Every structure is written in C-alpha cells, then in structure tokens.
Amino acid sequence: MDRRPDQVAAMFDHVAAKYDRTNTVLSLRRDRVWRRATRHALAPRAGERVLDVGAGTGASTVELGRHGAYPVGLDFSLGMLAAGRQTRPELALLAGDALALPFADASFDAVTISFALRNLADPVAGLRELHRVTRPGGRLVVCEFSHPTNPAFRTAYLSYLVRALPGVARVVSSNPEAYDYLAESIRAWPDQRELAGWISEAGWSRVAWRNLTGGVVALHRAER
Ligand SMILES: C[S@@+](CC[C@H](N)C(=O)[O-])C[C@H]1O[C@@H](n2cnc3c(N)ncnc32)[C@H](O)[C@@H]1O
C-alpha cells in the first residue's frame, strides 16, 4: 500500500472496533507509558489549546487534557472517530485531513501527532501544516515508531515485528492485514536523525529527540 489517503482511511475504519485493545496487546502494554511520556514532553498547561492530529479513537488525545488543557483531536477515519466518540464521549474529536487542517494560522499553543505521521501521504507537508496552526513560541511533539539503537535488541525487535506481530494481530484485531502494513511501514520509516531533519525542513526550531523503550518509539520535540 502506497499510503493513498483513501486506502489509509479505509484501513483504519476496519481496525477501529478493536483498535485500543489491539494496541495494548501488541505493544505489551507500553502504549500507556508512551502516551504519558508524550504528554510530559508537550507539557500542556491549564487553559492551553492543544491539537492532536491523527487522533484516531482519541486514546492519544485524552491523555493531553489531564491537567486542564483543552485538547482537540482530528482524524480522517470516520470509523476511528465513531469508536472514539463511543468510548470517550467527553472529547472533542473532529473529522479533517492532516494535510489541510481546518484551523486558522497560529490557533494552538501546542500540537502533537502520535503514530500517525508515518501514515501521511506527505509527512513533511503534514509537519508544515502543524507549524502553520501553531502560535509563535508554541510546541510540537511527534511520537512515532523508530529504530532501536542497540544492535542485539534491534534484531530481536525486527524479528518480533515480522514473525510474532502478524500472528498476534490475527487473534486480537478486526483487520489483521492492517498489521502486516504496520510492520512494513515501521521498517521503512526514517531513523531518529533523519526525522529530526524533516521537522527542521518543515520550519520548526530547536528540534531534539529522545528514545523510549530503547528506540522502539522516539519522541521528537520542537518549537515554532
Ligand atoms: C495508528 S493511528 C494513531 C491514533 C492515535 N493517535 C493513537 O495514538 O492511538 C493513525 C491515525 O492517523 C489517521 N490519519 C492518517 N492519515 C491522516 C490524514 N491525512 N488526516 C487525518 N488523519 C489521518 C488514521 O486515520 C489513524 O486513525
């Protein structure tokens, strides 16, 4: 699959029903730790407006409102949004495209994207759109799968991705084929340094990153 927007949206529509549970199982419950770390890195303060792009069912969005900020989630899969509205009716979850955000320039204090940048047809264009809707001095955090830095751990992880993950997905997911795509897209994704370069290229300053779970996930931070 070549990240065609209609195919990506349809794929997420089909995993939506069991998405949250599948995530927790496949990540061996690390998803909660990664979401908490994303909130810490973004540091949303009470009263701030925070945008979560590619919010899916809102699992990443709900974490951002824990200390009084106003999070808004946006996604183009109506299936994911419907699942999120059922489980998290209190959240503001909107339909929209990450590459043409339906917001005015500089309308958010902080923006974030968790496990969704990899799915965009043009990730640098997505980073530019996030930059456009962030106020000067505002913050970005990208939470995305990355590449483990320890060679032995990296080999074990790649073998998990290719061998174990599709089998587990067959048992827990409503659309196991989507998880073959997941493994492929993670392997093809740039490493930490290259992604930092893309973020700078999109106009962001003070780009830095830190690894979670040995680099299975990386958090990239930047300022507008
Ligand atoms: C792996 S899910 C991540 C969901 C959520 N952020 C989380 O951490 O659980 C990726 C989401 O990105 C959304 N997505 C991909 N491309 C998009 C685009 N161009 N515009 C809006 N949403 C998009 C998909 O529909 C999907 O819900």
Side-chain angles (χ1 to χ4, degrees), residues 8-9 12 19 23 35 52-57 59-60 74-77 80 96-99 114-116 118-120:
V8 172
F12 280 103
Y19 174 83
N23 252 356
R35 296 193 193 295
D52 181 27
V53 167
T57 59
S60 48
L74 176 133
D75 204 283
F76 72 0
S77 158
M80 291 288 271
D97 185 354
L99 299 181
S114 288
F115 307 109
R118 192 174 22 88
N119 298 300
L120 301 189

Side-chain angles (χ1 to χ4, degrees), residues 59-180:
S60 48
T61 320
V62 70
E63 181 68 37
L64 304 171
R66 298 228 183 274
H67 297 293
Y70 297 115
V72 175
L74 176 133
D75 204 283
F76 72 0
S77 158
L78 299 184
M80 291 288 271
L81 291 171
R85 285 186 186 128
Q86 249 186 7
T87 49
R88 304 180 178 94
E90 75 285 4
L91 274 184
L93 291 175
L94 310 179
D97 185 354
L99 299 181
L101 293 172
F103 305 111
D105 295 357
S107 41
F108 290 93
D109 299 291
V111 295
T112 184
I113 180 163
S114 288
F115 307 109
L117 190 64
R118 192 174 22 88
N119 298 300
L120 301 189
D122 184 343
V124 176
L127 290 164
R128 264 193 222 106
E129 259 303 83
L130 284 167
H131 184 267
R132 181 185 66 74
V133 301
T134 306
R135 67 161 167 82
R139 294 100 63 204
L140 164 75
V141 171
V142 176
C143 172
E144 190 49 88
F145 290 113
S146 197
H147 298 276
T149 46
N150 175 295
F153 179 51
R154 188 181 177 125
T155 305
Y157 172 64
L158 283 176
S159 141
Y160 168 73
L161 275 185
V162 175
R163 303 220 173 83
L165 184 139
V168 180
R170 248 159 215 95
V171 178
V172 286
S173 169
S174 47
N175 179 15
E177 289 73 33
Y179 290 87
D180 294 339

